[in-house]
Amino acid sequence: MSSELLQHTFRHSWRDCALASWQKWPNPQRPDVLSVDIINKRYDEETGVLYATRLLILKSFLPTWVRALTGGHSLAYFVEESVTDPHGERLVLHTTNLTLENLLQSEETCVYTHEHRKEEGEFTKYEQQVLIKANAWGVAKKLERWSVDTFVANAQKGREIMEDVIRRVEKEASAFQKGLSRFDLKKEESSLAEDASVHHSDL
């Protein structure tokens, strides 16, 4: 079995990171991610925690020298289980492969947690870990090494995508807030005008 643990700090709030995580796919920077669909979700009203299951479909993640041995699978299916805790400001995503699991077992866990740094602001700590176990006789170690290297490369691209999506989320939130401010201002102006009209009629 092979494993890899990556850590990163997003200089953004946990809320924005969590929202961005849900809006991450599809993305043109990762055309191999074909679709991500929610197949089950449950909201706990007492705790405020959201549990969700998503099905991910990717173009085959195996190298050509392995696909030749497995009949040339062109698609790879993964299932992701997530727990979003807005009160504890913690998001956990656990993903496993469904395709060729008898040949290669992949378990990836991503954790986003709130991190407050005095005088610096609200950050988000991000941990991403993968466990790989290959059962291919003669090439197991080679396949595991290739899988870990691919994970590291995709993780780097994933962080870049997250930064782009987070900026979009922040921009949309800012525009929404400005819209509310303009609405409140117009409402206040309308109210003042109405009061002035009533006062004028009383005279």
Side-chain angles (χ1 to χ4, degrees):
M1 178 179 288
S2 299
S3 64
E4 188 76 24
L5 173 63
L6 304 175
Q7 296 180 320
H8 179 74
T9 297
F10 289 105
R11 303 175 70 86
H12 307 277
S13 70
W14 178 87
R15 175 187 174 278
D16 289 339
C17 288
L19 286 173
S21 177
W22 283 101
Q23 299 180 31
K24 188 176 178 181
W25 311 115
N27 194 287
Q29 296 186 59
R30 283 289 305 277
D32 58 311
V33 182
L34 302 178
S35 66
V36 179
D37 299 298
I38 297 177
I39 57 177
N40 187 42
K41 61 181 178 180
R42 178 175 63 87
Y43 176 70
D44 189 322
E45 295 184 357
E46 292 186 3
T47 63
V49 174
L50 174 66
Y51 301 87
T53 303
R54 298 196 292 183
L55 177 67
L56 295 76
I57 303 178
L58 283 69
K59 290 182 181 178
S60 182
F61 63 101
L62 293 174
T64 54
W65 53 271
V66 174
R67 289 205 301 268
L69 301 174
T70 60
H73 286 264
S74 60
L75 298 178
Y77 295 83
F78 296 80
V79 64
E80 174 199 87
E81 302 283 349
S82 66
V83 180
T84 306
D85 180 1
H87 298 300
E89 294 186 304
R90 180 180 175 86
L91 168 62
V92 180
L93 306 108
H94 183 257
T95 307
T96 57
N97 65 300
L98 300 176
T99 303
L100 300 175
E101 59 181 339
N102 60 325
L103 174 68
L104 179 70
Q105 297 168 4
S106 171
E107 292 187 23
E108 180 180 335
T109 303
C110 301
V111 182
Y112 297 84
T113 52
H114 168 258
E115 180 177 318
H116 177 75
R117 296 186 180 183
K118 189 176 181 181
E119 300 179 355
E120 289 189 73
E122 304 300 319
F123 290 175
T124 300
K125 181 180 179 182
Y126 177 60
E127 290 187 346
Q128 186 175 14
Q129 183 178 36
V130 70
L131 300 175
I132 301 290
K133 182 179 180 181
N135 300 311
W137 184 84
V139 294
K141 288 299 180 182
K142 181 180 179 181
L143 181 54
E144 288 180 3
R145 187 67 261 167
W146 177 88
S147 299
V148 169
D149 291 343
T150 300
F151 161 78
V152 173
N154 287 340
Q156 173 62 33
K157 177 60 68 175
R159 291 193 297 272
E160 294 172 3
I161 292 174
M162 275 292 292
E163 287 288 354
D164 289 342
V165 180
I166 290 169
R167 284 192 288 269
R168 188 182 73 209
V169 166
E170 292 175 338
K171 185 177 180 180
E172 291 173 351
S174 177
F176 180 73
Q177 189 60 46
K178 288 180 180 178
L180 285 180
S181 298
R182 286 195 294 268
F183 175 77
D184 290 340
L185 179 60
K186 289 182 178 179
K187 185 177 180 181
E188 182 177 350
E189 290 175 346
S190 177
S191 178
L192 289 174
E194 185 178 343
D195 289 344
S197 176
V198 171
H199 179 69
H200 180 73
S201 65
D202 290 342
L203 296 177

